[in-house]
Amino acid sequence: MKNVVLIGMPSSGKSTIGALLAEKIGFGFIDSDLIIRGIEGKFLSEIIKERGTDGFLDLEERINAGLDVSRCVIATGGSVVYSDFAMKRLKQKGKCVYLKIGIDEIKRRIPDLVRRGVVMRGTLTCVEDLYAERIPLYEEYADVSVDCCRKTAEQIAEEIILKISE
């Protein structure tokens, strides 16, 4: 297998589980949000405020579509699924794993979406709207889905290993 690409809602555990998974399977680990932060020298919320939603999404698309790696676990930003181009490129280079998390858990983990740097397109104003818009996209691009409800990062990583081996 070339890569494992983690997709899912903000705070679904992509970075935490991705690092653990990479260690378990002997792959490198890439967090595309950290790459964006490193290039820009700013927090995601600052980039979104300065560039606007479309400007941030263009940057995110460029970074994710341009990744040329193998044998890596890639933790994407939650909004990468807005780019069909980036997702097609990521899927060509690996298996996409959707980390499913419930809306109540997202609300608990992210009390302030704007401060966290979550992309809110158009008229979206709350977690419920964001969830309703993104879930179909995650499901569309997923090769494998893992329900993360009431599981430890260790359990989720083990389940991913089983599912990507099938």
Side-chain angles (χ1 to χ4, degrees):
M1 178 185 327
K2 299 175 193 173
N3 298 300
V4 178
V5 179
L6 302 180
I7 60 174
M9 289 294 287
S11 285
S12 60
K14 298 179 297 288
S15 298
T16 302
I17 294 161
L20 180 61
L21 177 63
E23 184 178 315
K24 285 181 167 294
I25 63 176
F27 276 25
F29 176 68
I30 296 171
D31 185 320
S32 64
D33 279 348
L34 291 180
I35 292 173
I36 292 168
R37 282 180 54 188
I39 289 170
E40 294 294 309
K42 299 174 184 167
F43 290 106
L44 300 182
S45 58
E46 294 172 311
I47 300 167
I48 294 166
K49 186 176 180 182
E50 289 175 10
R51 291 183 177 222
T53 298
D54 290 340
F56 177 82
L57 291 174
D58 289 344
L59 174 62
E60 182 178 50
E61 176 183 76
R62 191 177 82 242
I63 296 301
N64 283 281
L67 290 174
D68 188 20
V69 297
S70 63
R71 296 184 47 81
C72 285
V73 175
I74 302 167
T76 64
S79 55
V80 71
V81 292
Y82 290 138
S83 170
D84 186 58
F85 176 69
M87 287 307 303
K88 284 181 178 172
R89 292 291 304 265
L90 289 167
K91 284 179 71 68
Q92 287 172 351
K93 297 177 182 196
K95 194 168 273 199
C96 282
V97 178
Y98 166 35
L99 301 181
K100 295 168 67 173
I101 184 172
I103 196 165
D104 291 335
E105 186 63 16
I106 294 166
K107 287 179 178 180
R108 188 184 70 72
R109 293 180 186 187
I110 312 174
D112 185 338
L113 295 173
V114 174
R115 202 163 103 148
R116 171 71 197 287
V118 175
V119 171
M120 301 289 281
R121 295 191 321 169
T123 60
L124 300 182
T125 59
C126 63
V127 174
E128 289 84 0
D129 293 343
L130 186 70
Y131 196 83
E133 180 178 71
R134 288 191 185 178
I135 296 307
L137 296 171
Y138 297 132
E139 291 172 347
E140 174 186 342
Y141 291 115
D143 296 308
V144 172
S145 294
V146 175
D147 185 348
C148 299
C149 184
R150 291 186 282 282
K151 294 177 187 167
T152 66
E154 180 82 25
Q155 291 169 323
I156 295 164
E158 290 296 333
E159 187 172 338
I160 291 170
I161 291 168
L162 287 173
K163 287 190 173 191
I164 63 175
S165 299
E166 295 174 350

